[in-house]
Amino acid sequence: MTEFSFTCTGVRADRFAAGPTLVFRLRVTASGDEPVHAVALRCQIRIEPARRGYEPAEADALADLFGERSRWGSTLQPVQFAQVSVMVPAFTGETETDLVVPCTYDMDIAATRYFDALTDGEVPLLMLFSGTAFTGAGGFRVEPVPWDREAVFRMPVATWREMVEQHFPGCGWIRLPHDTMDALVAFRSRRALPSWEATVRALLDEGAGEAPGTSRPGSTLTRITGRTAP
């Protein structure tokens, strides 16, 4: 059996991707001198939040994920980041390949909320590998990539922020149900507002302009959408 080992040597934001994308540089090493014809590789990437420290502002921003800092001894559990596949081309001994990871700025996703809460430093990642290798000097031999193959990597927070800034410069992102979105479209149309920013500001201004005691915060959204704001 061929012994495989994996090392992540770097990461970059893909400036030419249609959506937010990280590209990890992966070094693959195979024991012996037999050629490896190809490797159908699967990789699961996890965030290991217990492997770094946090500033007070970061801890406050992570409270919705892990609770109060006093509880982190039991709540600071790994967070699933991505699950991707790559076909490693033929090599002998050692090669490097790109592991392309599409990302999202959806703040409903735990990994995105974690990244967004960090102000600096590095993100501790654990990469877990499996798959199928096609090896052999005189033909093809099919071998599994053992499930215990893994690699640790510390991704700079700056790389994540660079990626987000490329696709959402100076902006955030929010996902809404269809009925809420339809109500916002109707509100914007009735007011002839020029942008979504102007639409949200009009709702905030209308809510802030109500007399104290006449309604509770969020009642403007309730009147427009027919539902109670979360």
Side-chain angles (χ1 to χ4, degrees), residues 131-207:
T132 304
F134 303 90
T135 64
F140 284 93
R141 184 172 67 247
V142 179
E143 302 181 30
V145 176
W147 285 87
D148 62 351
R149 304 294 94 173
E150 62 183 43
V152 295
F153 181 68
R154 301 186 73 86
M155 181 181 75
V157 173
T159 303
W160 170 267
R161 295 200 173 278
E162 176 190 351
M163 177 197 70
V164 171
E165 192 65 18
Q166 289 172 6
H167 295 275
F168 304 100
C171 299
W173 192 93
I174 188 169
R175 181 165 57 92
L176 297 172
H178 286 300
D179 56 346
T180 303
M181 195 66 209
D182 291 343
L184 286 173
V185 170
F187 179 82
R188 176 180 176 179
S189 179
R190 287 196 304 271
R191 299 293 185 89
L193 296 168
S195 66
W196 287 118
E197 181 182 3
T199 302
V200 174
R201 287 190 179 277
L203 285 168
L204 293 174
D205 291 344
E206 184 173 327

Side-chain angles (χ1 to χ4, degrees), residues 74-92:
S74 59
T75 62
L76 217 61
Q77 300 299 318
V79 175
Q80 178 78 6
F81 173 33
Q83 198 156 5
V84 294
S85 300
V86 62
M87 182 63 73
V88 181
F91 69 96
T92 300

Side-chain angles (χ1 to χ4, degrees), residues 206-220 223:
E206 184 173 327
E210 293 174 343
T214 59
S215 63
R216 55 185 173 79
S219 61
T220 299
R223 291 200 309 273

Side-chain angles (χ1 to χ4, degrees), residues 7-12 23-26 98-99 127 153 155-156:
T7 306
C8 184
T9 61
V11 63
R12 60 182 172 85
V23 181
F24 292 87
R25 191 64 176 171
L26 197 63
D98 286 338
L99 186 67
M127 311 176 83
F153 181 68
M155 181 181 75

